[in-house]
Amino acid sequence: MTGGSRGIGLAIARRIVAEGGKVVITGRDPESLQQAVDEIGTDDAVFVRGRADDADHQVATIAHAVERFGRLDHLVNNTGINPSWGPLRELDLVAARKIMEVNVIGSLQWTRAALDAGLSRSIVNVASLAGISASPNIAFYGASKAALINLTSQLADELAPAIRVNAVAPAVVRTKFADALFAGREDEAAAAYPLARLGEPDDVAGPVAFLLSDDAAWVTGQTLKIDGGVSIGSVG
């Protein structure tokens, strides 16, 4: 699983292990990765350090997973970056290209590497509600996640019936990554949600675990909104 050292990724890793799975997590910071596996507290979770868009790192990580645990059942593409803030007319195109490289092309590269190594069951891509509806100031991040959602559908079609491919699309979850969207005004931000709060990482981990499990054996090509009801769009 990519991006597993904190936030949503760490919550997913914890849930996978809690349900009897084994997981290899990735990230750039070795200290954060070590803290994550220490927190999980079992030999069923290990890490490999590297950049998510580095092809050599992708191949090495997947090879390590197969060597350590004997096979590769699932892939969770959780890496996402957004080094840009503001309106699209002011978007730094260098940053835009990097966003697409990591969030979309990187996910495709991880998928191809996993398939080459014998991936046998399913893929879950962590997209975003920003990929489904307009999101001020993070619009190009949203565009990249829209592409990831479409990539999910395309891969589900190509890889069926052997491999299931689904995605989740969280709204604002209380993580360091999303801090700019609610810092200093969490009550105001939460007021837009019918369930009256922002998301927590565990709110995403459960649905991801479901999509990885046999309970989702007849589910593919879907993007599950995890959004506290905010996409209902009530105006009354």
Side-chain angles (χ1 to χ4, degrees):
M1 183 183 70
T2 64
S5 65
R6 64 187 185 189
I8 290 172
L10 176 54
I12 294 170
R14 283 197 305 259
R15 185 63 176 263
I16 289 171
V17 172
E19 296 196 4
K22 305 175 191 296
V23 66
V24 177
I25 63 173
T26 73
R28 290 178 297 175
D29 180 13
E31 291 186 3
S32 296
L33 289 163
Q34 185 64 60
Q35 289 172 2
V37 297
D38 288 346
E39 179 181 326
I40 295 170
T42 170
D43 290 340
D44 290 337
V46 298
F47 73 85
V48 178
R49 175 186 176 274
R51 291 189 300 106
D53 58 341
D54 181 334
D56 291 339
H57 167 63
Q58 295 161 4
V59 172
T61 300
I62 289 170
H64 182 71
V66 174
E67 179 181 356
R68 177 66 181 261
F69 297 127
R71 66 181 194 268
L72 184 64
D73 294 332
H74 308 283
L75 171 67
V76 179
N77 284 312
N78 176 59
T79 300
I81 65 166
N82 185 37
S84 179
W85 176 268
L88 286 173
R89 66 188 298 173
E90 299 173 5
L91 177 66
D92 179 344
L93 295 184
V94 173
R97 293 185 181 96
K98 185 64 174 178
I99 290 169
M100 294 300 290
E101 183 71 30
V102 174
N103 296 3
V104 184
I105 297 172
S107 295
L108 178 58
Q109 288 178 306
W110 278 101
T111 297
R112 289 165 58 164
L115 291 168
D116 288 346
L119 179 72
S120 63
R121 297 181 66 182
S122 74
I123 299 166
V124 175
N125 295 320
V126 179
S128 170
L129 195 66
I132 298 172
S133 58
S135 299
N137 294 315
I138 59 168
F140 200 77
Y141 172 78
S144 75
K145 292 300 187 176
L148 183 60
I149 288 168
N150 186 267
L151 184 68
T152 297
S153 299
Q154 302 291 348
L155 287 169
D157 182 54
E158 288 190 15
L159 300 180
I163 307 292
R164 297 182 300 104
V165 188
N166 293 289
V168 293
V172 178
V173 176
R174 292 200 318 119
T175 64
K176 182 177 180 181
F177 179 79
D179 187 67
L181 299 174
F182 63 86
R185 57 178 199 92
E186 184 172 336
D187 290 345
E188 178 187 348
Y193 291 76
L195 293 185
R197 66 175 177 85
L198 301 181
E200 299 289 347
D202 284 339
D203 292 321
V204 182
V208 170
F210 160 71
L211 290 171
L212 294 172
S213 76
D214 290 342
D215 288 338
W218 209 46
V219 180
T220 196
Q222 303 304 305
T223 296
L224 176 61
K225 296 177 184 177
I226 307 171
D227 66 357
V230 72
S231 61
I232 293 170
S234 173
V235 296

